[in-house]
Amino acid sequence: MTARAWSGPGLVRPGAHDDAIDDVVPAIVVTPERTADLAATLAEASRLRATTIVSGGRTKMAWGRPASNIEVAVSTARLDRIVTHRHGDLIATIEAGAAIEAVNAALAQHGQWLPIDATFSGATIGGVLATNDSGPLRHRHGTPRDLLIGIHLATTDGRVVKAGGEVVKNVAGYDLGKLMTGAHGSLAAIVSATFKLAPIPHTSKTVVAHCRDRRAAATLISSIAAGRSEPLAVEIVSSSDASAVDVLVRFASTTAAVDAQADALRDESRASNVESDILGGDAEAACWREHGARMWRGDDVIVRCAWLPASLEAVLERVARVAGEAHTTMALTGRASIGAGHLRIAGDIDAQIRAIVQLRAAAPVIRHVVILRAPLAIKSQIDVWGD
């Protein structure tokens, strides 16, 4: 496959080193400028029986099994508009290549936002839907598929199809949006999506509780879940031996409600001999930036896993056991009240593989262990998805 041999629409160029996925460089890169061009591009690639991938901000292209051959890489970089924003109805339709940061900057002019965490700067609408990637905001707002109410797709026969609509209460047709969310682009290319939005909270504060051990952390989180407060996020950060366990609880609402809930949680923590701090303003923003970036620094293996929220103490105990037996160190970050998060595994390749195998054998305490980031030496020996 060469750029000269390509007869489809869009801007076409030869693949370069920066386009590589797991060290595999695409033969050509096609960048459609319109929805119809994207559909026609997929139809041409299908006609040529060319191995094809679709990318947006390229922040998660290494997720999934390693590629063996890529003939056509389709970029949605030029499909980056907010198509409609019905701010009176808190609904927006956004093209797949739009970066979440840019979208929220535009929506903020009307006091609204799309409450989806972008793990990486430059993450796009299509990318977070394709991977169903989420972060701390999942505690209150759910995953991207929970906010999705309509979707437009380009299929490999050159059609543009839609599912859902532009109203929140929509029950027409098959819910293809849910099917495409998390499919990693394997079924069709996402062209645009319609979301329900949320008002930007007046203010927020974060309580950081420094728990002395895993039991204290589990007890505090259970108390939060059983209480009357309404946090925006409840996160746990733990080392593999649970010698340092922090619980981050963010409140976002009116000033009076935020102050009351943050003070109540701090008092409750102190009554349980758990030291805590209340952060606001720049200090709070810096705390959450660090929280989002900490897990992905360096080149350690990152796996995604799930657990029952009530089993948190057992999960932390099992992580410590696996780390010791596999001779690795681990760090856990996750949605404490939901039971989903990431584990960073440090060590040599053999130790990291042993840790992943043992984590997968730890069901039902730890479930759905999926490799997100790992070198080819690991991905070639152990399946990223598991059994």
Side-chain angles (χ1 to χ4, degrees):
M1 176 67 66
T2 64
R4 182 174 296 180
W6 180 261
S7 61
L11 303 176
V12 185
R13 61 173 175 82
H17 177 73
D18 290 344
D19 303 311
I21 302 170
D22 285 330
D23 297 332
V24 178
V25 177
I28 63 172
V29 178
V30 183
T31 308
E33 299 184 85
R34 300 177 302 164
T35 295
D37 291 345
L38 176 55
T41 295
L42 295 183
E44 174 67 5
S46 179
R47 184 184 69 81
L48 296 172
R49 302 185 66 82
T51 304
T52 306
I53 60 98
V54 181
S55 68
R58 294 186 53 82
T59 58
K60 295 179 281 290
M61 292 305 295
W63 291 15
R65 294 191 179 104
S68 58
N69 178 40
I70 304 172
E71 295 173 282
V72 181
V74 182
S75 171
T76 61
R78 291 178 176 268
L79 298 171
D80 61 353
R81 300 176 303 129
I82 296 179
V83 180
T84 59
H85 178 199
R86 295 165 55 182
H87 49 84
D89 297 325
L90 278 85
I91 291 172
T93 299
I94 310 160
E95 288 185 323
I100 292 176
E101 293 170 339
V103 168
N104 275 329
L107 297 178
Q109 298 177 26
H110 295 278
Q112 297 172 7
W113 68 324
L114 177 60
I116 292 177
D117 295 292
T119 303
F120 307 100
S121 177
T124 61
I125 293 296
V128 295
L129 284 176
T131 58
N132 199 32
D133 189 28
S134 60
L137 293 175
R138 178 178 176 179
H139 177 85
R140 177 180 293 182
H141 294 285
T143 64
R145 74 168 58 193
D146 297 311
L147 299 170
L148 183 70
I149 60 175
I151 196 167
H152 281 76
L153 307 165
T155 62
T156 55
D157 59 0
R159 292 184 298 163
V160 177
V161 299
K162 67 177 182 177
E166 295 186 359
V167 293
V168 174
K169 292 183 178 180
N170 185 9
V171 295
Y174 297 108
D175 198 351
L176 294 180
K178 296 289 193 297
L179 178 65
M180 298 298 163
T181 306
H184 284 246
S186 61
L187 303 176
I190 298 170
V191 176
S192 64
T194 302
F195 297 94
K196 53 185 177 182
L197 308 176
I200 296 175
H202 290 281
T203 189
S204 73
K205 285 186 177 179
T206 296
V207 178
V208 182
H210 309 286
C211 301
R212 58 189 177 275
D213 54 34
R214 64 177 73 100
R215 175 165 296 179
T219 300
L220 177 61
I221 290 167
S222 295
S223 176
I224 294 170
R228 296 183 178 180
S229 64
E230 296 183 354
L232 181 67
V234 180
E235 293 283 291
I236 188 167
V237 182
S238 175
S239 58
S240 55
D241 62 358
S243 60
V245 184
D246 286 347
V247 178
L248 283 64
V249 186
R250 185 180 180 187
F251 300 100
S253 183
T254 63
T255 302
V258 165
D259 289 343
Q261 292 181 91
D263 290 342
L265 180 57
R266 180 182 57 188
D267 294 343
E268 179 183 347
S269 301
R270 288 177 175 172
S272 302
N273 295 319
V274 174
E275 293 299 319
S276 61
D277 304 306
I278 297 181
L279 305 179
D282 293 341
E284 181 191 31
C287 172
W288 286 103
R289 281 196 302 270
E290 170 64 18
H291 179 67
R294 182 190 300 112
M295 176 63 58
W296 297 93
R297 289 201 185 100
D299 55 4
D300 294 332
V301 169
I302 306 292
V303 301
R304 183 172 59 201
C305 58
W307 61 87
L308 293 175
S311 302
L312 179 60
E313 185 177 352
V315 169
L316 294 174
E317 188 277 331
R318 185 60 61 90
V319 168
R321 186 193 309 176
V322 169
E325 294 174 352
H327 303 292
T328 65
T329 58
M330 297 189 196
L332 172 67
T333 297
R335 277 73 287 163
S337 296
I338 291 174
H342 298 130
L343 273 167
R344 187 178 69 221
I345 307 172
D348 61 48
I349 287 177
D350 290 339
Q352 290 169 324
I353 290 176
R354 283 197 302 272
I356 294 169
V357 171
Q358 291 183 36
L359 287 169
R360 287 177 171 169
V365 176
I366 300 174
R367 308 181 183 192
H368 311 301
V369 178
V370 174
I371 300 172
L372 297 185
R373 185 181 74 187
L376 277 173
I378 289 179
K379 294 167 74 172
S380 62
Q381 296 185 57
I382 182 170
D383 189 84
V384 299
W385 301 109
D387 294 335

